[in-house]
Structures are given as C-alpha cells and as structure tokens.
Amino acid sequence: MQHKARLQGLRWAPLKQPITFVLEGFYVPPGYGSLLFFLALLDFVVALLGNGTVILIIIIDRSLHRPMFVMICNLAVCDLLGVIAVTPRFMIHFLTGQRRIAYSHAIAQAFCVHTYGVAVQTILCAMAYDRYIAVCEPLRYHSIMTSTRLIFSCALAWFIALLCIGVLFYFHIDVPLCGNIIQHVYCSNRVILNLACLSMTWTLSTSVFIVIAFSYIKILQATVTKGKADSSIRSKAFQTCASHLVVYVLFEIAITIIVVSHRFPSMSQNIKQFCSILFAIIPPAVNPIIYGLVSTELRKSVIKLFRLTVRQI
C-alpha cells in the first residue's frame, strides 16, 4: 500500500520549469511527410495571400473605407493570426517529425489560437450589428455607423477577445501541471489545462450566437416587410448579408466538428486531429474567396490592382 501511494505521489507530482511539452500530432506514414507538408504549405500560402490581399486592397482603396470593409479587414487580420499560430507548427511536424515545444512557446501559441477563436466571433458579432443597421435603418445608417462608432465597435471586439483570454490565462498560468503530453496537433488552453484537471466554458459562443441570430431575425423581418413594396430590397439584403452569414456558418461548422469528434472515442486519432485544426486552416483560406465572390466592389478593386501591377511589370 505504501509503495502504491508513493507511485501515485510520483505520478501526480507537479512539473517544474523548464517544462517541455510533447505534441501528440499526426501519425505520418513513412514517405507521406513531404506530401502533407506541401498540402499544409499550400493552405498556408493561400491564407496569407488571400487575407494579405484583402487587407492591402482595403487600406489603399479609399472607396472601401466604409464600415463593412473595415470590419472585413479586421476579420482578415484575425484569420492571419489563426493560421500563423497553428499551421507552421504542424508543417514542421510533417517535415521533421519534431513534436516537442517549449512551455513559453506553448502558452504563446495557445493564447494566439484562443484569441483568434474568440475574436472571429466578436468581430462577426460586430459585423452582424452593422448589417442590421444597414438593412433595417438604411436612411439612418451613416448617422448611426459614424467613424467613432465604427472604431469603437472594432476595438470592443478585440478588447473582449483579449480580455476573456487574458483573464483565463491569468488565473490558470501558474496552475501546477501533472503531465507534459499534449494529445493535440497544436497547443490550446483546454489541452494544457486538461493536464491540470480544469476545463473551459462556451459562454461567449452562445452569447455571440444569440446576438447574430437576433440581428438576422430582424433583418429577415425587415426584408419581408419592405420587400413587398420594393423587390430590389431583397437582392440588396442578400448581397449585404450573404458573405457574413456564410463565413459565420463555416466557422461554427468547424467548431461543431471539433466538439462532435471528441464524442467518439473510437474515431481514428488522425481524423480527430484533422477535425481539431479545421477551424484554423479552412476559414482563413476560404474567407477571402467568399468576400471576393460576393462583394463586387472588393472584387473590382482586386482586379484593378492586379492589372496595375501587371502593367508596371
């Protein structure tokens, strides 16, 4: 009994610095590392080029200095944060097989990943408010969505995200850890805190869903009511809200897949790992394409910049 108690004490003894985590990562069959690295690199480059182009176009084209495009620019910055925080780590894993990550790097990656996850939702929430004003109060839109209110909305979205994650990490950063194996592809607060027998809540996601759902219910009501007198209102509402709604639904589907995958213990570990990174690799790569396809103004600005660049070459 004493020997057993001694073993349990050793097993649960808190780790001391310097701590190095070991990421479980993917099981990469021999010979497939280079192929997986290339696919990850392709996604990374598409996300960087797509979001970088969106940010650049919105900055240099003064005609796009409007609330909707400024918020799209903020979302593109957020997408860059997510893809840069996650993708390079498993690209290194595919290419070299490296699984170890220092404690400070793990905390930094976890902070960036969670900030991305929360900021996407708060920015989409701010965008839903903007779309609500644009459709439901078109005559008062410019008086309501002033430059001051726009800056405040964007700043508030980032502040809420940073505050929530900052507070979360502040309370848990010094919690003693009872293990250093992270059963994941990247570091997140949830998996690190699982080592300390703690868990996270999804309060913010629910709040954002309520705000966005309320906004779109009001938009739908306004569209149906005003659309009886002017059929063009429906098409304008669709053009205004379609991209935002698609981006939000895409992100929520990715998050839902993560949650659902953890409900099936018998699922392949590689499939679970792939599901866990969908939210950080698919939306950042696809979002610029969605906004480019739906927004005529943004698409025209991109084509204009491309033609000017070709002429200069």
Side-chain angles (χ1 to χ4, degrees), residues 154-231:
C154 294
L156 182 63
W158 283 104
F159 176 76
I160 291 174
L162 291 171
L163 179 64
C164 289
I165 304 306
V167 169
L168 184 66
F169 275 72
Y170 175 78
F171 284 114
H172 296 159
I173 198 71
D174 292 325
V175 172
L177 303 179
C178 54
N180 69 333
I181 305 298
I182 296 180
Q183 298 179 345
H184 222 307
V185 180
Y186 59 88
C187 298
S188 70
N189 191 49
R190 184 184 63 80
V191 294
I192 293 175
L193 292 181
N194 277 349
L195 301 177
C197 308
L198 299 174
S199 61
M200 292 181 64
T201 62
W202 295 87
T203 305
L204 183 68
S205 296
T206 304
S207 302
V208 169
F209 172 77
I210 291 173
V211 171
I212 292 179
F214 173 80
S215 298
Y216 273 94
I217 289 172
K218 289 294 184 180
I219 289 172
L220 182 61
Q221 289 177 345
T223 303
V224 171
T225 302
K226 298 177 181 179
K228 295 178 180 178
D230 185 358
S231 59

Side-chain angles (χ1 to χ4, degrees), residues 78-192:
C78 189
D79 284 340
L80 285 178
L81 174 65
V83 75
I84 291 174
V86 173
T87 310
R89 173 55 56 178
F90 64 80
M91 285 171 61
I92 294 173
H93 168 56
F94 289 147
L95 194 63
T96 67
Q98 178 60 256
R99 296 172 182 266
R100 295 183 177 275
I101 181 171
Y103 178 82
S104 58
H105 294 170
I107 294 298
Q109 186 186 46
F111 185 88
C112 291
V113 169
H114 283 286
T115 300
Y116 158 72
V118 176
V120 165
Q121 297 180 78
T122 53
I123 292 171
L124 287 172
C125 188
M127 292 175 73
Y129 170 73
D130 173 67
R131 297 302 83 204
Y132 164 72
I133 300 299
V135 175
C136 298
E137 298 289 345
L139 299 180
R140 298 176 56 221
Y141 177 74
H142 295 290
S143 62
I144 296 176
M145 285 303 296
T146 60
S147 298
T148 302
R149 183 159 294 181
L150 172 62
I151 294 171
F152 175 78
S153 298
C154 294
L156 182 63
W158 283 104
F159 176 76
I160 291 174
L162 291 171
L163 179 64
C164 289
I165 304 306
V167 169
L168 184 66
F169 275 72
Y170 175 78
F171 284 114
H172 296 159
I173 198 71
D174 292 325
V175 172
L177 303 179
C178 54
N180 69 333
I181 305 298
I182 296 180
Q183 298 179 345
H184 222 307
V185 180
Y186 59 88
C187 298
S188 70
N189 191 49
R190 184 184 63 80
V191 294
I192 293 175

Side-chain angles (χ1 to χ4, degrees), residues 6-7 24 50 59 67 78 111 116 133 167 204 260 285 306 310:
R6 191 180 298 112
L7 288 176
E24 187 176 80
I59 289 175
C78 189
F111 185 88
Y116 158 72
I133 300 299
V167 169
L204 183 68
V260 172
F306 177 75
V310 171

Side-chain angles (χ1 to χ4, degrees), residues 68 72 75 120-121 123-132 135 208-220 223 234 236-254 283 286-287 290-291 294-295:
M68 182 177 74
I72 290 175
L75 185 62
V120 165
Q121 297 180 78
I123 292 171
L124 287 172
C125 188
M127 292 175 73
Y129 170 73
D130 173 67
R131 297 302 83 204
Y132 164 72
V135 175
V208 169
F209 172 77
I210 291 173
V211 171
I212 292 179
F214 173 80
S215 298
Y216 273 94
I217 289 172
K218 289 294 184 180
I219 289 172
L220 182 61
T223 303
R234 295 182 182 179
K236 290 180 181 178
F238 175 78
Q239 293 176 356
T240 301
C241 303
S243 56
H244 171 263
L245 191 58
V246 170
V247 168
Y248 175 72
V249 170
L250 181 66
F251 183 79
E252 289 302 317
I253 288 174
V286 174
N287 287 351
I290 293 173
Y291 283 113
V294 176
S295 174

